Amino acid sequence: MALKPDDLPELPPLYLGPQIRARVHQNRDLFSLFVAAICVGLLAGAVAGSFRLCLNYGAQWRNWLISFLHSQGLVGLPVLVLVCASLAGLAGFLVSRLEPAAEGSGIPRTEAVVQGRAEPNRRRVLPIKFLGGVLAISSGMMLGREGPMVQMGGTVGIFIARGIGSTRAQLRVLMAAGAAAGLATAFNAPIAGGVFVLEELLQTFNPRYAIATLLASASGFLSARMLVDTNQEFVTGPISGSNLTDIPWYLVAGLVCGLAGTAYTHYILATLNIADRIGISRAKRCMIVGAGVGLLAWFYPTVVGGGDNLTQSALLGAGTLGGVALMLAIRIVSAPICYAAGTPGGIFAPMLVVGTGIGLLLTRLGETLFGFGPVGGSLAVVCMAAFFAAVVQAPVTGLVLTAEMTGATAMLPASLAACAIAMSIPMLLASPPVYEALAKRKSRLAKRRKVYLFAKK
């Protein structure tokens, strides 16, 4: 017998208990966080893309100036030295007088803020980092663009977080999201941007953090496309893939990169300590280093600057044994000195130059000593990831970054083995990751300064 509508039981009114209401509120906050992360990524990508565009024009201007001054004979040498010294000195002056937090890479400070060990950046970090980075890198200082981009992206995250009244925890997430967008734009590597933040800055895999950083990285990469070329960063020459006959080379590459990376980390820290003990102002220190870079640019113009041209050359397998050895020696010695000067600029891109240079050097040594070696730029690709893993001790980022920048996915198995060996060496030698060591060093210096100022009072 069918029931009539009047015979149906009356249902109780819908009741949203405390747990359900809390879940709805949590989902609303999560949605707001993700929307804010997309906004951070779009703005950070625009800033980073503009920065990269200015650096491209700066590099073109520097190359034109060197060529023009060469045409004027030896009278052009002091002019070039003076110009490079002035640009680097001005960058150092801006940092020391207006915003000391804008010095150096910016990644160690961003890491400290994200992890709650330092206060968020002030607003003027962004313009000083932007202008100082353009001046320093355009002068020929051997510094990377990625550090300023990461810090500027993180600062954009702070702007938006404070503008929408975010909590301290949300501010850190948005700052990390902005950093991811900055790194994604620096190397046309949106996946690596998110992975680097999770592996190095946050050092945890929380689904909420992961989604926010990946959204910001993707949106930042897309917004940068309006300003700069976002195609694959580098192209490679012929590569051998993961041939069994080349396995010994990859194992040796991991060992060499592990030892070289450990030594490079300590050399960077040593140059910073020496620079602190010299006792001259930052501006004068930058002028001295800038003058040296100008002198080097006169005789060897292709070796100065960020070094993308050198990385590209190594990946193509171009260069003689003597030429590669000379380039590698100059970059290993000079890049940390440029970083120790204290202008805005990173060590990320210079690390890629050294890594690919080591790979090409091993290839040329094999051809010279044994008459054979891996094809073309195979070892350069492997050593790019392995050297990064040894210095930064973030192997997943190194693998993803190398694959995105070169498109050489066939080298991933070999790179994985080399990264494992390269990273095990600094761990066995108790050598810290470079960004962690730089952050701790900065924290110690800040504490000493506070004690000194208190003692003076």
Side-chain angles (χ1 to χ4, degrees):
M1 176 177 163
L3 292 175
K4 297 180 180 179
D6 295 339
D7 296 330
L8 294 176
E10 185 178 353
L11 296 176
L14 181 63
Y15 174 67
L16 293 178
Q19 292 182 346
I20 298 178
R21 287 199 301 269
R23 188 60 180 267
V24 171
H25 181 72
Q26 181 182 7
N27 289 340
R28 186 169 62 245
D29 289 346
L30 195 61
F31 178 76
S32 300
L33 179 65
F34 292 161
V35 171
I38 293 174
C39 295
V40 168
L42 291 172
L43 186 54
V47 172
S50 302
F51 182 73
R52 187 167 179 177
L53 189 64
C54 291
L55 292 182
N56 291 341
Y57 286 131
Q60 294 173 10
W61 170 82
R62 183 180 67 247
N63 292 333
W64 171 85
L65 179 65
I66 293 172
S67 177
F68 173 75
L69 292 177
H70 270 146
S71 67
Q72 306 302 310
L74 286 179
V75 70
L77 175 58
V79 176
L80 180 61
V81 171
L82 179 61
V83 170
C84 293
S86 300
L87 293 176
L90 180 56
F93 176 82
L94 291 174
V95 170
S96 59
R97 289 302 180 93
L98 298 180
E99 186 48 77
E103 72 169 342
S105 168
I107 293 179
R109 178 168 179 81
T110 303
E111 179 179 321
V113 175
V114 168
Q115 296 176 4
R117 294 184 283 107
E119 290 298 315
N121 299 328
R122 293 184 290 185
R123 294 179 180 178
R124 57 187 177 190
V125 164
L126 198 155
I128 300 303
K129 197 78 174 183
F130 192 108
L131 181 57
V134 170
L135 290 171
I137 300 175
S138 298
S139 73
M141 298 280 275
M142 300 176 200
L143 301 169
R145 61 184 177 271
E146 73 296 323
M149 287 184 174
V150 167
Q151 189 174 17
M152 288 188 294
T155 305
V156 169
I158 294 174
F159 288 170
I160 293 181
R162 287 175 172 167
I164 62 177
S166 299
T167 64
R168 191 64 174 258
Q170 291 170 337
L171 182 145
R172 292 171 183 167
V173 174
L174 292 178
M175 185 177 185
L183 186 60
T185 306
F187 294 117
N188 294 337
I191 301 176
V195 171
F196 176 76
V197 167
L198 295 172
E199 187 178 23
E200 176 64 23
L201 299 188
L202 294 171
Q203 297 181 359
T204 184
F205 188 85
N206 181 303
R208 177 182 300 184
Y209 298 164
I211 295 173
T213 54
L214 291 175
L215 284 173
S217 184
S219 59
F221 180 73
L222 290 175
S223 69
R225 294 190 65 175
M226 297 183 295
L227 298 170
V228 293
D229 181 16
T230 53
N231 294 326
Q232 184 177 295
E233 188 70 16
F234 300 114
V235 295
T236 61
I239 56 175
S240 58
S242 299
N243 295 336
L244 294 178
T245 55
D246 291 334
I247 289 179
W249 288 103
Y250 302 140
L251 300 181
V252 170
L255 178 63
V256 172
C257 287
L259 294 172
T262 303
Y264 193 74
T265 298
H266 289 282
Y267 177 55
I268 291 174
L269 297 173
T271 55
L272 288 169
N273 293 333
I274 293 172
D276 289 339
R277 292 182 187 136
I278 291 177
I280 61 176
S281 68
R282 186 196 307 271
K284 292 180 180 178
R285 189 167 68 220
C286 293
M287 288 188 67
I288 293 172
V289 176
V293 168
L295 184 63
L296 184 61
W298 177 265
F299 295 101
Y300 199 170
T302 58
V303 82
V304 300
D308 282 358
N309 58 316
L310 301 174
T311 301
Q312 180 60 79
S313 179
L315 290 171
L316 291 173
T320 63
L321 176 60
V324 173
L326 176 61
M327 179 276 295
L328 197 56
I330 292 174
R331 294 291 303 198
I332 289 175
V333 173
S334 303
I337 294 176
C338 291
Y339 183 74
T343 65
I347 58 175
F348 206 131
M351 277 192 288
L352 302 182
V353 176
V354 175
T356 53
I358 290 175
L360 184 58
L361 182 65
L362 290 175
T363 301
R364 292 292 177 264
L365 284 173
E367 293 170 350
T368 302
L369 298 177
F370 307 110
F372 64 93
V375 176
S378 301
L379 272 182
V381 174
V382 171
C383 288
M384 175 192 286
F387 189 76
F388 179 88
V391 178
V392 183
Q393 297 184 29
V396 178
T397 301
L399 290 168
V400 175
L401 183 68
T402 300
E404 280 194 284
M405 287 195 301
T406 65
T409 54
M411 300 304 301
L412 278 174
S415 299
L416 180 61
C419 284
I421 296 173
M423 185 169 172
S424 66
I425 292 175
M427 292 180 67
L428 292 172
L429 297 176
S431 178
V434 66
Y435 290 124
E436 178 183 321
L438 291 172
K440 289 182 177 178
R441 178 184 178 277
K442 180 62 66 176
S443 178
R444 287 195 303 268
L445 291 176
K447 289 179 181 179
R448 290 177 187 173
R449 179 171 176 79
K450 287 181 181 179
V451 171
Y452 172 73
L453 292 175
F454 179 78
K456 285 186 69 176
K457 292 179 181 180

